[in-house]
Amino acid sequence: MVRTPLTPEERERGERLGTLLREARAERSMVSVAAEAGLSAETLRKIETGRAPTPALFTVAALASVLGLSLDELVIRCELVVA
């Protein structure tokens, strides 16, 4: 299966998601947060750096739960375009 290339907006949204998750993780280690969410540290690293800009909903939900974020807040903050 060939993936459709991401639009610039989708890439930016993925970068915003990564930044939000990284900020919410704060001083917690990437390894501990990833393990608690049931992910590999490499998957979390890719999401936080924007290399995986479209993670699965269940992945985002697991991270949000571990980090004490609401999905509503993530959606609003990721959709927000800062000029």
Side-chain angles (χ1 to χ4, degrees):
M1 181 169 99
V2 176
R3 266 191 133 170
T4 305
L6 298 174
T7 65
E9 293 81 16
E10 289 170 325
R11 288 184 212 277
E12 289 174 19
R13 192 170 44 241
E15 289 172 6
R16 285 192 296 273
L17 173 64
T19 299
L20 289 170
L21 294 174
R22 193 171 41 256
E23 288 172 356
R25 183 169 57 81
E27 300 298 319
R28 295 174 66 184
S29 78
M30 187 178 288
V31 172
S32 69
V33 170
E36 195 173 337
L39 309 170
S40 71
E42 183 58 24
T43 296
L44 180 52
R45 184 181 340 276
K46 286 179 181 178
I47 294 168
E48 285 189 357
T49 60
R51 290 188 354 233
T54 58
L57 174 62
F58 292 110
T59 300
V60 175
L63 287 168
S65 176
V66 167
L67 296 171
L69 300 169
S70 76
L71 289 177
D72 290 338
E73 177 184 2
L74 283 177
V75 168
I76 290 167
R77 293 183 65 191
C78 287
E79 289 296 326
L80 179 65
V81 177
V82 180

